[in-house]
Structure formats: structure tokens, C-alpha cells
Amino acid sequence: MTNRSCAVMAVVLMLGAFTPATAGAVTLLDQPPTQAWGVFSDESFDLTPQPYGYSQVIADDFEVATGGAGFALEEVVIWGGFEPFPGSTFPLWDDVDVLVHADAGGLPGTVLCAETGVSANRQATGLTVTGEDEYMVTLTLRSPCGLSDGSYWIEVYYNTALGYDDWFWEFSAPDPGGIYAYAFQAPGVAWTPENVGSYGDTALQLDGSLGAVACVDSAAALQSALTAAGADGEDDVILVVQGTYLTTGSAFIYTTAESFDLQLLGGFTAGCTDRVVAPANTILDGAGANPVLVLEPGSSTQGNLHVQGFTISNGVATGTGTAGLVAGGVPGHSGSITIDHNAILNNQAENGAAGILAGYGGVLAVVNNLIAGNVSSGGYGAGVLSCSGETLWMTNNTVADNSCTGGCTGGVEVSGSVPPHINNNILWGNQNLDLAFQHSSTRLSNNDIGVFMGDPDPSSTGNLSVDPDFYGGGNYRLQISSPVDNQGTNNPAGGLPAYDLDRRPRARDGHVDMGAYETPPVFISGFEDPLLGDWSLVVGAD
């Protein structure tokens, strides 16, 4: 294998397009290895001191050309191996990251999809690359990455935890006219083109499904995509272009008797080849007349649901209906549900949940959401979260100023037969109760809660009951003086989100804040900037 000084160049090359004739499972790209050479793509290498240089991760570009069907990336196959150094031990594949970028003028741009700790299946091929054993590594994504027709980049790196074994990504046959790039200081940062000769493309195979991705830019197209997803016999990804989507007489609704996944993702630009995840740019609006969004899988189904990047507002529900968002909530459904980076605002219910109703039998993860200003006359203001299957993680949400009348819960009601983990949340200023829970083993860790009802697990720790010091006027970001600054736990059950609702890195100064927003930084000049631009959440921003 090459020495490290030569390996500082990480390459990025043009990949060919694949245009299939029919929908279904396909290999979008197949670039076999040449057993000739490779380049390091190792997170720990980014952190090692001189003489070996600074960061190095590799990205490779590819084209999706499906005639409008779309491609759901489900599996990535790479080839390469490890170059051992003195004192090394052969590492386990326990920390592989896969990121898909938009194309930004011939370099990796916005991160559209990212998974850490991707499941890896490593198989020896029996061949060698410059004296080292070659391996084929199959990386299976937990959630398919939905891609419309266009140009993209894929980045794969491995963290050897500062060990001596460095992963190298092998080359495939040269791709004439390709572009090379490498990164300095941290993975995915400062991509820079560099001509380093015709070493070759990366050894790479991309597998997935066709026809399972919809890019929608109107209310009618959104409902059509939801309807189709409920009966097409495959996992579906619906990419929603930025804009306001008014319901017309009824909620946007998805129902299914099938056990397939649905991802509903907001913030895309026209054509769905780039994305800015900011709830304010993609609004689902009930127009003050009906509920907003209802995702109801069947009682015996196992499909997963994921909702990300929306403002869900102005819904109205009568009877015991939910006005804002329904995600699951059906006993017998055992799929996982993830609701993250959303704002659920100003919905009104009669005797049901005004903001959100979510659960049931799988993992329920409610992360990085703002739930505020929702009103229920006799039900639950913010909403109800229920899990009677695996576990419930409620992490880094801000739930504030929701209300109800009578002796009901203005905040969140948490129910179900499994003990939930409630971490790093702010539940404040809600009428009557900010939080109510039933399970006696409910674990409360590092939350700011005004008034709650329930008997928490004795292991609960780090909780406060103080005014979080919001900016006010409908702005639920924290002032610099907030007493919940740095008061969260960096290791909550279910994991810490990488970014807050404004795309600031979590734990930016070593310790995470409570709630959906990190406190803004103090500039070197000493002047504080409480707004930091337009507060948008830009996926992949430095």
C-alpha cells in the first residue's frame, strides 16, 4: 500500500448514468475494483497529528437518470482494505458513515442523507491490493435515500477511533475527464478540486429501487403521492418542494395495509436535487378548516414512518380528532416512527390532541421539534405520545405555550406499556400541566419542566424547573443568559441529534443545551448576535 504522505490525496471521479427501462430493484452503478491501489477514507486519520497531515475523506459523484421514476438508494458496496501499522489490531466495523451530497458546481454540496453506524457486512475476496487483503464491504442503510434525477456525490468513511489501522477505499477503472477532490480539517468540509492524474474511479456499487421516489410541488401532487404510497408494494420516499400546501376540505392522508416504509421529507428545491431543512420553508396548513396530516398504517403492519422538515399548522379537528399531526397511533402497528426537525404550531382541537398524536408498537423517536401555540378545548394541547412496543425517545424538543380548558394537559401526555426516555426537553408555560406520564419507570434526564404529573424512575437526574428565558413574541430560541444553556446530557437514550432546529451543531461548546435550539454563539468581538441570520436549518452547512 502507498505511504501516508501519498495517501493525503482523496479522489472524486465522474460516474456514468444508468437509465433503466422498468421500475423495481436495480443496481444503479457497478464499478468493480482493479486490485491496483486505493486512498484512505478514515475519520480517525482526520484527527491524527503530523507527520501524516490533516483530514481525509473521499467522495465520488454519480448520476441518477430514471426518466422521472426516481431512485431509492438502499445499499452501498465498496472494496478496499486496511493497512496495518505497528501495534495495530484488526478493527471491527462498528462506525461507518455514509453521506449523500447534492452536487455544487462539480463538488460535494448540501448533505441530503446521512447515516452513522451503518450496518456493514465485510467479506474477504481472497485477493490482495499492493500486498494487503482485499475486502468487499456491503453497507445497508436503515432508511432509503430518495433521489430524483440529477447529479450527486456519495461519501463513505470509517472511524478507527484513533487506532493504527487505516481503511483505504480501492480504485476502479479510470473515468476520463473526472474530477478529484479532498477534504481538510473534518470529514465533508472544504472540498477542493485537485488534478492528481488518472489513478481511477472508486470501486463502488449502488443498489436500490426505482419508482419509489416522488418529488411533489403542489397539494394535489402531495396527496396523490401519499395515496400511491399506501398501495404500491414498496418503500416510498416523498420529497416535498419548499412552499405552502393548503389542505382542501380534508387532511393530507396516508393509509395502508402494507408493511413498507414511508419517508415524508420537506425543504427541497425545485426538482428535488438540493435541500434546506428549515420548517418555515415547507408549510402544511389546515387553512383553519380541517386537520393537517394523518399517517395511519394498518393495525397489523410493520412499516416505518419518518416525518422531517415541516411546519404543521392551522389545523382544526372536531370530536376526538387530532388537528396537527397523526403518525401511527394505531394499536397493533409495530413499525418505528421518527418525527424530527418540525414545528407544530397553532392547531386547534375540540376534545382530542391539538398538536400531535404519535405511537404505537415500535420505536417512537420525537427529536428536535418545536410544539407551541396549540389549543384543545377538552383534550391535550401539545399532544399525546404513546408506545407499547419497543421504546420511546423524546429528545431535545421545546413544548411551550400550549393550552386546554378544564383539568386537562396543555403540554404532552406520555402513555403506553413501556418506560419512555425523556431527555433534554423544555416543557414550559403550558396550561395546567407541562408533562403527564403514566409509567412508573419513566426516565427523566436533564429536562426543564414547569409542572408535571407522574412518578419518575429513581434514576432520573439533572432536571430543572426554571424559566428557560425564551426571546419571546413567538420566538422560542434561548437568550444567551438562559439557565438551561449547557444543562442537557450529551448521551441521551437514543442518541444526541447532530444539529439543533437552526442547524447549529449540538454541544457546540462541549455540552448540549436543553430544548430544540442551542444558544447562539458569542462572536470574538464580544458582541452577541441572538438571531444569527434567518435561523434556517441547512443540512450539510459548515
Side-chain angles (χ1 to χ4, degrees), residues 6-7 49-50 57 64 72 145 156 192 194 203 293 321 341 361 432 452 479 516:
C6 292
Q50 297 288 359
V57 290
V64 175
C145 179
V156 181
T192 306
E194 184 75 19
L293 179 62
H341 290 92
N432 297 327
F452 73 86
Q479 299 201 53

Side-chain angles (χ1 to χ4, degrees), residues 264 293 295 305-310 312 325 338-340 342:
L264 185 63
L293 179 62
L295 308 176
L305 298 176
H306 184 197
V307 180
Q308 181 189 74
F310 296 95
I312 298 171
L325 169 65
T338 302
I339 301 165
D340 66 291
N342 302 286

